[in-house]
Amino acid sequence: MDSPSHLSHSLPSGATRLASIEAGGSKFNVGIGGSDGVLHTQAQFPTRSPHETIRDLIEWFDAQVAKDGPLSAIGIATFGPVDTDPNSVTWGRLGPTPKLSWQGTDLITPFQSYGAPVALDTDVNSAALAEWRWGAGQGCARLCYLTIGTGIGGGAVLDGKMLSGRSHPEMGHMFVRRRPDDEFKGACPVHGDCLEGLASGTAIDARWGASLSKLGGEHQGHEIIASYLAQACVNVVATLAPERIILGGGVIGTEGLLSRVQAQFDALGRGYFSGFAVADIVLAKLYPVSGLIGGLAIAELARQQVPG
Amino acid sequence: MDSPSHLSHSLPSGATRLASIEAGGSKFNVGIGGSDGVLHTQAQFPTRSPHETIRDLIEWFDAQVAKDGPLSAIGIATFGPVDTDPNSVTWGRLGPTPKLSWQGTDLITPFQSYGAPVALDTDVNSAALAEWRWGAGQGCARLCYLTIGTGIGGGAVLDGKMLSGRSHPEMGHMFVRRRPDDEFKGACPVHGDCLEGLASGTAIDARWGASLSKLGGEHQGHEIIASYLAQACVNVVATLAPERIILGGGVIGTEGLLSRVQAQFDALGRGYFSGFAVADIVLAKLYPVSGLIGGLAIAELARQQVPG
């Protein structure tokens, strides 16, 4: 979880102090950083019950405030589905997540006690914004960020704005064309063989009993997973027309997988999508702290939007 | 092609006169209308060679100008792929369309001789904008327009802006999960069994030798096509998170098909996408003149953007 290039302990007194919370199904990452997207300090807590985990976080932030002073803004980058509409009465509440004990949890209210503006969006939208501001998506009018880890999720930034509001993307749950040589029934508890059900780390492990890296480069799993991810990229290009697709998450770090995805994307698209603007497919620059720096990115937005 | 509610012959002298061109693979529709999205007059020409067809259009617009005076702006709503970036040197040129003789055709230059600003976007983005301004998408922060006819295409309007720039959506060419009971190899000349290859009017005709309407309501084709279109809606919701999906085109007019799509969308999504914002799936209000009124909508944008 360390990322030396984005972790610094120099903290100018009186500077903007942005709090970031990356809420995940197995762990919560928290950190404090600046308006430049640089983390000053960070910590990690296991995801327990909502009550226990939120108490862990509050204790940690309380200690940071006691030590270094108040927070300028707080950004919460969370798993979903979640209500991302600040005008909604259920803003910040988790939706029908498979993480049952967290359904309906209010992620905003506990953190409003710090007297700082609170922003919330999906982990992947936040990561997309962070990659756009400080990472692999700089200068892109339209980009998509896909994370392929335990689950699969996607976010997007269009003209500098996250694709978010009354609802938000859930790209892991798109359907793709099944490969005839893949008889796995799918691992998504909701949709079975949606993209996440076929190509997430969970699906890989359920199908072959190991990660792609452990299976070795000759295993057919590499081509199968690459083809599903390439289809996801085609579908994203067909629908969102991004200039760049940024891939993050543990699975895509598998040696050779990115180039397999790129090759299969080209083969599937058959030049149709590259007439005027080829969508690059690249690795995330901020991973594995894309989500945590995403929290800083949305906290900075919230800070700037406060009147006065 | 008549649409009494959008066709009026009253033409206030000196009023804004917007020209619309809907460029299609088998026919071109042209019209003149007002800033209120109402068509005053329209005509149709078969799609021949670029040279012949553009000459037909110029003759028709010349006659309109001679009769009623100059054009305020011109909107071109075209099939794609097409370069929709006004800052590109190939702006307005068609890309690798299966309509081979039209590849590379410059749709803008011939119409700049009228001295009016010219706007260009895809037929489906233009239709999405028209539905947002005057049709079934009014009040939506995010909407998607899908047309299911000879081919399948999709456009989107996000916060009042078409999803367009260096490239544009080509939603007909997403991949979907094949049904085990459908062995048709697909009719898309580029991708085979992409969405368009499986569920367009062309695919229906190639597979069963008739349109769904002619096959009768008991034919399995209704369920098969509905399930592919429902998957397309799921994939659009997963990727773009629209508040509404508007369906147009000849195929979706088949009796009972819309409700089959809605039912299969609900069954496929399993409540996952309806946690906070259910995406409505509705019929286009402006069809069959969505594209032509789309041309008015983008012409009006171009008119407003001219300095002074």
Side-chain angles (χ1 to χ4, degrees):
Chain A
M1 185 54 65
D2 272 3
S3 171
S5 66
H6 284 90
L7 190 60
S8 148
H9 289 281
S10 64
L11 180 63
S13 128
T16 297
R17 284 161 47 76
L18 303 174
S20 173
I21 299 168
E22 182 190 14
S26 59
K27 58 185 189 296
F28 274 60
N29 292 306
V30 291
I32 290 178
S35 293
D36 52 1
V38 175
L39 285 166
H40 303 303
T41 181
Q42 59 177 296
Q44 190 174 97
F45 299 94
T47 304
R48 302 191 289 166
S49 72
H51 176 77
E52 293 168 309
T53 300
I54 289 173
R55 194 182 54 199
D56 288 344
L57 271 49
I58 293 285
E59 280 176 11
W60 188 81
F61 281 112
D62 283 351
Q64 301 303 315
V65 169
K67 184 158 66 80
D68 292 320
L71 305 172
S72 312
I74 300 168
I76 304 170
T78 180
F79 63 100
V82 63
D83 186 344
T84 50
D85 179 3
N87 299 314
S88 160
V89 292
T90 52
W91 177 47
R93 284 188 188 270
L94 288 166
T97 163
K99 194 94 184 160
L100 297 179
S101 69
W102 284 77
Q103 286 190 7
T105 297
D106 172 1
L107 293 173
I108 299 274
T109 306
F111 300 99
Q112 287 181 320
S113 59
Y114 291 100
V118 180
L120 176 142
D121 216 299
T122 62
D123 44 8
V124 279
N125 262 338
S126 305
L129 187 69
E131 292 285 348
W132 176 76
R133 292 196 66 157
W134 300 305
Q138 292 176 59
C140 284
R142 284 201 299 274
L143 72 85
C144 171
Y145 175 87
L146 279 175
T147 181
I148 305 107
T150 315
I152 296 181
V157 171
L158 310 175
D159 295 325
K161 212 181 141 203
M162 290 178 290
L163 186 53
S164 183
R166 274 184 68 205
S167 58
H168 56 74
E170 281 285 347
M171 298 189 201
H173 299 278
M174 70 171 74
F175 291 104
V176 292
R177 188 175 59 181
R178 294 294 307 258
R179 283 176 64 108
D181 59 350
D182 178 23
E183 294 180 354
F184 181 60
K185 69 179 169 37
C188 172
V190 187
H191 305 112
D193 65 348
C194 62
L195 175 67
E196 176 171 300
L198 291 172
S200 64
T202 305
I204 293 167
D205 202 61
R207 200 195 265 107
W208 296 301
S211 69
L212 286 183
S213 298
K214 289 196 179 132
L215 290 171
E218 300 304 308
H219 191 281
Q220 63 162 2
H222 291 259
E223 281 301 305
I224 290 175
I225 297 305
S227 82
Y228 290 135
L229 297 179
Q231 283 191 63
C233 291
V234 167
N235 286 4
V236 163
V237 167
T239 308
L240 265 178
E243 295 175 7
R244 191 166 295 161
I245 297 177
I246 300 172
L247 303 181
V251 171
I252 199 64
T254 307
E255 191 181 336
L257 187 58
L258 176 69
S259 53
R260 288 182 199 260
V261 172
Q262 290 166 329
Q264 294 216 29
F265 174 82
D266 289 342
L268 284 169
R270 295 181 172 273
Y272 193 79
F273 301 107
S274 58
F276 298 106
V278 183
D280 295 331
I281 301 176
V282 304
L283 288 183
K285 192 169 164 192
L286 306 176
Y287 183 81
V289 285
S290 309
L292 197 52
I293 297 182
L296 295 183
I298 61 172
E300 175 65 8
L301 279 188
R303 188 183 72 83
Q304 291 172 355
Q305 282 162 8
V306 171
Chain B
M1 186 51 70
D2 272 5
S3 171
S5 66
H6 284 87
L7 191 59
S8 150
H9 287 282
S10 64
L11 182 63
S13 128
T16 298
R17 284 160 48 76
L18 303 174
S20 172
I21 299 167
E22 183 191 13
S26 60
K27 60 186 188 298
F28 274 60
N29 292 306
V30 291
I32 291 179
S35 293
D36 53 0
V38 175
L39 287 166
H40 302 304
T41 181
Q42 57 178 299
Q44 190 174 97
F45 299 93
T47 304
R48 302 190 290 167
S49 73
H51 176 76
E52 292 168 307
T53 300
I54 288 172
R55 195 181 53 199
D56 288 343
L57 269 50
I58 293 285
E59 280 176 11
W60 188 81
F61 281 113
D62 282 352
Q64 302 302 316
V65 168
K67 184 158 64 81
D68 291 322
L71 304 172
S72 311
I74 300 169
I76 303 170
T78 181
F79 62 100
V82 63
D83 186 345
T84 50
D85 180 1
N87 299 315
S88 161
V89 292
T90 51
W91 177 47
R93 284 187 189 271
L94 288 166
T97 162
K99 194 94 185 161
L100 298 178
S101 69
W102 284 78
Q103 287 190 6
T105 297
D106 172 1
L107 293 174
I108 299 273
T109 306
F111 299 98
Q112 288 181 320
S113 58
Y114 291 100
V118 180
L120 176 141
D121 216 299
T122 62
D123 44 7
V124 279
N125 262 339
S126 304
L129 188 68
E131 292 285 347
W132 176 74
R133 292 196 66 160
W134 301 305
Q138 293 177 59
C140 284
R142 285 200 299 274
L143 71 84
C144 171
Y145 175 87
L146 279 175
T147 182
I148 306 107
T150 314
I152 296 181
V157 171
L158 310 175
D159 295 326
K161 212 180 140 202
M162 289 177 291
L163 186 52
S164 183
R166 274 186 67 205
S167 58
H168 56 76
E170 282 285 346
M171 299 190 199
H173 300 277
M174 69 170 75
F175 291 104
V176 292
R177 188 175 59 182
R178 294 295 305 258
R179 284 175 63 108
D181 59 351
D182 178 24
E183 293 181 354
F184 180 60
K185 69 177 169 35
C188 172
V190 188
H191 306 111
D193 65 348
C194 63
L195 175 66
E196 176 170 300
L198 291 172
S200 64
T202 305
I204 292 167
D205 202 60
R207 201 196 264 106
W208 296 301
S211 69
L212 286 184
S213 298
K214 289 197 180 132
L215 290 170
E218 299 304 307
H219 191 281
Q220 64 161 0
H222 290 260
E223 281 301 305
I224 290 175
I225 297 305
S227 83
Y228 291 134
L229 298 179
Q231 282 191 63
C233 292
V234 167
N235 286 4
V236 164
V237 167
T239 308
L240 266 178
E243 295 174 8
R244 190 165 296 161
I245 297 177
I246 299 173
L247 303 181
V251 171
I252 199 64
T254 308
E255 191 181 335
L257 187 59
L258 176 70
S259 53
R260 287 181 200 261
V261 172
Q262 291 167 328
Q264 294 215 28
F265 174 83
D266 289 342
L268 284 168
R270 295 181 172 273
Y272 192 79
F273 300 108
S274 58
F276 297 106
V278 183
D280 294 332
I281 302 175
V282 303
L283 288 183
K285 192 170 163 191
L286 306 177
Y287 182 80
V289 285
S290 310
L292 196 52
I293 297 182
L296 295 184
I298 62 173
E300 174 64 8
L301 279 188
R303 189 183 72 84
Q304 291 173 357
Q305 282 163 7
V306 171

